[in-house]
Amino acid sequence: MRNQGKSNCWGSNAFGQLGRDDIRHSSSPLKIPYLKNIKQIAVSTNSICALDRDMKVYCWGDNGRYQLGNLDYDRRKRPIPDVVPLVKPISKIVA
């Protein structure tokens, strides 16, 4: 995460965990599209969540165990960061 609230990822993209669907792997940092004003990131093996300064949570990557928090219970990978529908605002995330 960079100090301007923008984020980068690199490594495997087998489950879309780089936040992109146009590559399979990157050995150098790539900007995660669609995200800005990020204040915290939580990373698990194949999925990632980010909290922005407006207290919105975005998750992407593997959803094989419904870990992305989307309400449609779609188990497919999600390479594009998607807003998690929350009942109330949160101030911290962990993986």
Side-chain angles (χ1 to χ4, degrees):
M1 191 165 65
R2 301 183 320 208
N3 61 359
Q4 300 95 354
K6 297 178 182 174
S7 303
N8 294 327
C9 284
W10 61 93
S12 173
N13 197 36
F15 294 95
Q17 59 268 49
L18 296 183
R20 308 166 64 114
D21 61 358
D22 58 343
I23 60 169
R24 293 173 52 177
H25 175 82
S26 177
S27 57
S28 55
L30 299 171
K31 180 181 177 236
I32 302 171
Y34 314 106
L35 295 182
K36 59 183 180 178
N37 298 319
I38 299 302
K39 69 179 217 169
Q40 186 181 6
I41 293 179
V43 179
S44 69
T45 304
N46 294 318
S47 56
I48 301 172
C49 291
L51 176 66
D52 73 8
R53 296 187 198 290
D54 295 326
M55 303 303 172
K56 290 182 191 168
V57 175
Y58 297 83
C59 293
W60 64 97
D62 182 24
N63 197 35
R65 294 193 171 109
Y66 310 112
Q67 62 267 45
L68 300 184
N70 56 357
L71 296 177
D72 63 2
Y73 302 106
D74 183 356
R75 293 183 62 152
R76 295 175 295 164
K77 68 179 181 179
R78 298 216 177 236
I80 306 300
D82 197 15
V83 176
V84 176
L86 300 172
V87 176
K88 47 183 164 170
I90 63 168
S91 60
K92 187 176 183 179
I93 57 175
V94 295

